[in-house]
Amino acid sequence: MRAAAAAALVAAAGVLAGPAGAAPPPDYDQETIAQFNSASSVETIRHLAVDIGPRRSGTPQELEGAQYLAGILDGYGFKTQIYAFPITGNRAVAQVSSPNATLTNGPHWQFSASTSGKMTGTDNPVTGDVVYGGAGATAADFPAGSAGKIVLMDQGANAAARNTQVANAVAAGAKAVIVAATSLSAAGVAAAPPTVTVTPSYPDIPIMGAGRSHLDWMKAILANGPLTLTFTTMNYVNPTRAVVVGRRFAIGDPDGSKAPIVMVGAHIDSVLGAPGAHDDASGNGVSMEIARVVSKLPLDKEIRIGGFGGEEDGLTGSRAYVATLPAAERARFVGEWQMDMVGTPYAPAKLWALTPDGRSNFVVDEAYKASGRFGFTGLDNCKLGQSDHQAFFDVGIPSALFIWLDYHKPVAPATCVSIGQGQYTTEPEYHRPADGMNNISPERLQTTLDVIGGALAHNAMNRVDIRSNKPNTPVQADCGDGVRRMGTTDAAGALPDLRFPHVTCTIQVGGSSRTVAIAGDTPVSLTAADGSVGGTVPATLALTLGAPASFGAFLPGVDKPYSVSTTAKVTSTAGEAALTVSDPGHLANGAFSLPEALQVEIAPASWTLPVSNANVDIAFKQHIGANDALRTGSYSRTLTFTLSTTTP
Ligand code: BES
Ligand code: ZN
């Protein structure tokens, strides 16, 4: 079987033209990373962090993030699915914007919504002017005219003080109350929006919790003029969380059931109140740019892009997704490169590859190799969980967290494997309303794109191992986009592990006229009949259909045969292959079908040897009788052509 395939392939191959005098095109790895542009990543991040804003898991904003990513992936030809995984519990959140002021890191702010106060529901926004009531400890703290206003106060130090301040604000006529955190950590990090619970409850007054940064920003606006806010409060009870997964099937695996899978992931959700530009819109920004570039390549691996909700709830979205994968599907994973916080300008941060056990693994090794291909020496690796790579790791899929972080590597004799938990310092914006676009570095995103995108693309490309009887000889390839220098064979005549973003290439070793055509998928070594040169031929069945066919206008009342044809191209490495068509049935125009069936003729419809880009003629015939009733409009029908084999 292998020998027969080899002979057929060698016989089918042409002779490669020698390289022109001009410099050869760059190799395919370099050519791929040259296409990554972090400006596209920044736009994805901006949409998530600014246009949508904070994306607390279980809120509509998390779903909006998933839908946005699904739209991008659909546009690149991925097959996308949005999962809705159940959450037990509630999410009480306030969505806040301003009609008259520019909210820092806005326009969408998110506060906590107190279940002690009124839930307006998302359809009933409340608008009001903000007044600052200080500590709200006595009536004197509230400015004149607080009645009917949204009263903002510094959060009381204890439950009694908070009960009193909210009661005082309500007595002053507040239409809504904002209790804002005041604390700054020793390192100067402003406190996040607090959960506010007060006694008694106020079923008619919305009560919200804002972060310290929100407090500072609102006070700064109020110092210069009025501040009006429009907000809703909503308690989502047992909501769902969104996970989006895009799949781009491998050439030769049209139903996505057998090809190896290379995956990148990031998380969609943010913590309450944080725009989550760095954590982790940034990861999705990089994923989408990788998706754009690899979607142009015919590849023999399946590409998966994951956008996980629920990460901040304890990796719940990624764990739920992994749980949907049958064992056979998990076994197809080559690896999962998880990107979480992949480009802060925070100076002490470096790019780390972190694994739950502190050991290097396949995806870490491949990231180092990708770094080496463009001369980046800044990557380091050590130990950490705390993101969605853990979910993949736990089911045996090679995975790592890629993160720009000030990670503190253990000092000898401690090692990344021996330590209990990794130590690090995050940037001050981390998990805070301050995590907006200022916390994004296009330069570092570009490095992440080149390392992770470079590793993913390399692993998704079609692999060829050259074996020949020509030691120390240059190898060239022509895949239709220029003659490439692929390297030089070793002393044994071998040049392993070449990668091609193509399924059909012609390879030449030295000046020899012996050439072979190759096509991609699971590598199978072979040697040509005379032993001069060999390549690996992955099993491939590829079908490309020509333009859709149209019969033109059918004339009513005239007995006439109509015919039209189109073409297809077939590449098959199988011993035999057959091209069939689904039941042609009858052309239809809405509820009206033609009385006579459509006929389809395929020539040739079967092959007994491997073929590359073999032409196929597809003829369509339709007879219309003189008495056949025809309805105004277009008659059409979608047909499915299937290329199959029993001897792959
Ligand atoms: N982006 C972080 C992961 C992270 C790791 C941040 C290391 C900083 C340093 C992620 O979104 C996160 O916040 N993870 C949680 C743990 C998770 C299991 C809820 C965390 O690190 O607290
Ligand atoms: Zn986080």
Side-chain angles (χ1 to χ4, degrees), residues 267 271 279 311-312 340-341 430-431:
H267 72 89
V271 297
D279 183 10
E311 192 274 349
E312 302 288 6
D340 190 352
M341 302 168 61
Y430 170 66
H431 278 188

Side-chain angles (χ1 to χ4, degrees), residues 492-517:
L495 179 59
D497 200 15
L498 299 179
R499 302 292 170 122
F500 295 89
H502 295 280
V503 289
T504 307
C505 299
T506 304
I507 292 176
Q508 178 178 326
V509 180
S512 164
S513 62
R514 304 294 304 184
T515 59
V516 293

Side-chain angles (χ1 to χ4, degrees), residues 267 271 279-280 311-315 340-341 354 384-387 401 403 405 424 426 430-431:
H267 72 89
V271 297
D279 183 10
D280 180 28
E311 192 274 349
E312 302 288 6
D313 281 351
L315 321 179
D340 190 352
M341 302 168 61
L354 303 172
L384 203 71
Q386 297 178 220
S387 191
L401 163 63
I403 185 168
L405 182 68
Y424 54 82
T426 53
Y430 170 66
H431 278 188

Side-chain angles (χ1 to χ4, degrees), residues 593-618:
S593 294
L594 294 181
E596 292 190 33
L598 175 68
Q599 288 173 21
V600 183
E601 289 163 14
I602 304 173
S606 64
W607 296 265
T608 53
L609 288 173
V611 285
S612 289
N613 291 315
N615 288 315
V616 178
D617 289 315
I618 300 175

